[in-house]
């Protein structure tokens, strides 16, 4: 049984190269996850895969049942999650096509079910979330990205998570840049916090698919998005394949 899962985001609803052994639709106390968990082998390693937006990419970021997804992964024995997400680049280094392995998060989302500690009979628990991403998993992703030919890799970053589904205004991005955000996406939270609440190690492979709103006085180039998502996610799959070779990710 594997303890490692990949969560795929926009443009990554199935993993090319994954030899599927079985699929399981897990029932959770929080409702249905986005889709069945797919189990299989990638690059000689057993992994589980879950498509965050559903197998046909129909679930928008604010409607994803993050609690059910993370609970489902935990309930099948997953202990480590590599999460892939498409993002906009805010800082100069995060140009389109760059792979960013963020080390921090600022959460601007609202009205999402964002905790497993939601009252009831259990005592309230306030988890430590000072450093939201797991260092070992980040190292594996960084090593995987650096060993992938032809990629611009940024080894740290502050992932600002917005509510969506609309993109941001130029002023919102200016404010986020002033806050310290270097990338912006819509699905990094509450996913990371829910994983932490269940004691799962979690790291993010962010793929820059556009320059964020208002940078250099430009609107978001939405016409180019499908092509950049497609090529960015192809790169993310290569990065994951290489990261899985890292000794950090060998099953204990
Ligand atoms: N903003 C928010 N989420 C995103 C973006 C963006 O510019 N690009 C991809 N996901």
């Amino acid at each position: 049984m594997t303890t490692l899962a990949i969560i795929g985001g926009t443009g990554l609803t199935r993993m090319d190269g994954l030899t599927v052994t079985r699929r399981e639709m897990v029932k959770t106390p929080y409702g249905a996850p986005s889709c069945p968990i797919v189990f299989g082998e990638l690059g000689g390693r057993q992994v589980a895969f879950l498509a965050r937006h559903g197998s046909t990419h129909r679930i928008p970021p604010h409607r994803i049942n993050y609690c059910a997804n993370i609970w489902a992964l935990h309930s099948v024995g997953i202990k480590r999650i590599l999460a892939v997400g498409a993002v906009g680049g805010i800082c100069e280094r995060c140009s389109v096509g760059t792979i960013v392995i963020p080390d921090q998060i600022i959460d601007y989302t609202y009205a999402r079910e964002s905790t497993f500690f939601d009252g009831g009979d259990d005592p309230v628990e306030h988890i430590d979330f000072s450093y939201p991403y797991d260092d070992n998993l980040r190292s594996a992703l960084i090593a995987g990205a650096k060993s992938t030919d032809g990629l611009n890799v940024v080894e740290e970053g502050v992932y600002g998570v917005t509510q969506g589904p609309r993109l941001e205004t130029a002023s919102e991005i200016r404010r986020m840049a002033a806050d310290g955000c270097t990338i912006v996406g819509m699905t990094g939270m509450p996913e990371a916090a829910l994983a932490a609440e269940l004691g799962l190690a979690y790291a993010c492979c962010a793929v820059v698919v556009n320059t964020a709103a208002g940078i250099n006085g430009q609107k978001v180039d939405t016409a180019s998005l499908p092509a950049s998502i497609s090529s960015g996610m192809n790169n993310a799959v290569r990065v994951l394949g290489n990261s899985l070779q890292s000794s950090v990710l060998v099953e204990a």
Side-chain angles (χ1 to χ4, degrees):
M1 197 180 75
T2 183
T3 61
L4 178 69
I6 293 168
I7 298 181
T10 297
L12 195 59
T13 48
R14 49 181 209 91
M15 284 287 295
D16 283 339
L18 179 71
T19 315
V20 178
T21 49
R22 87 190 156 88
R23 291 184 165 80
E24 184 176 343
M25 190 63 188
V26 178
K27 287 206 176 106
T28 87
Y30 302 93
S34 298
C35 59
I37 300 174
V38 179
F39 295 88
E41 198 185 292
L42 184 74
R45 298 249 188 281
Q46 299 294 318
V47 290
F49 177 78
L50 180 72
R52 185 188 283 125
H53 297 275
S55 347
T56 53
H57 200 275
R58 295 272 158 79
I59 312 173
H62 63 294
R63 294 245 177 243
I64 291 167
N65 191 337
Y66 296 94
C67 291
N69 286 352
I70 296 299
W71 186 272
L73 290 171
H74 179 251
S75 74
V76 299
I78 295 302
K79 301 209 178 323
R80 302 166 300 168
I81 296 174
L82 300 175
V84 180
V87 297
I90 297 178
C91 72
E92 218 168 294
R93 293 164 72 206
C94 297
S95 55
V96 174
T98 302
I99 297 285
V100 185
I101 313 301
D103 58 337
Q104 277 295 327
I105 295 175
I106 300 181
D107 186 8
Y108 300 91
T109 65
Y110 49 87
R112 298 182 179 190
E113 295 295 336
S114 58
T115 181
F116 292 115
F117 302 123
D118 208 17
D121 294 338
D122 297 328
V124 177
E125 215 176 301
H126 302 283
I127 56 152
D128 171 45
F129 201 50
S130 312
Y131 299 97
Y133 296 115
D134 179 77
D135 273 342
N136 285 331
L137 293 184
R138 291 189 61 251
S139 300
L141 286 171
I142 289 167
K146 284 167 81 172
S147 66
T148 307
D149 281 344
L151 283 190
N152 185 33
V153 182
V154 173
E155 298 182 27
E156 73 290 305
V158 181
Y159 182 166
V161 192
T162 55
Q163 177 71 357
R166 68 164 177 84
L167 296 166
E168 298 69 38
T169 67
S171 287
E172 285 168 339
I173 293 295
R174 250 194 317 275
R175 183 183 72 166
M176 291 177 76
D179 285 351
C181 297
T182 58
I183 51 174
V184 53
M186 299 175 191
T187 56
M189 285 291 282
E191 196 172 87
L194 291 166
E197 285 189 346
L198 293 187
L200 307 182
Y202 180 100
C204 172
C205 174
V207 182
V208 180
V209 297
N210 60 277
T211 303
I215 302 285
N216 302 323
Q218 303 291 308
K219 288 183 174 184
V220 175
D221 180 6
T222 50
S224 302
L225 273 177
S228 15
I229 290 171
S230 163
S231 75
M233 289 306 154
N234 283 341
N235 287 335
V237 170
R238 289 163 65 216
V239 168
L240 289 169
N242 289 336
S243 304
L244 291 180
Q245 304 310 317
S246 158
S247 55
V248 169
L249 293 184
V250 175
E251 296 282 329

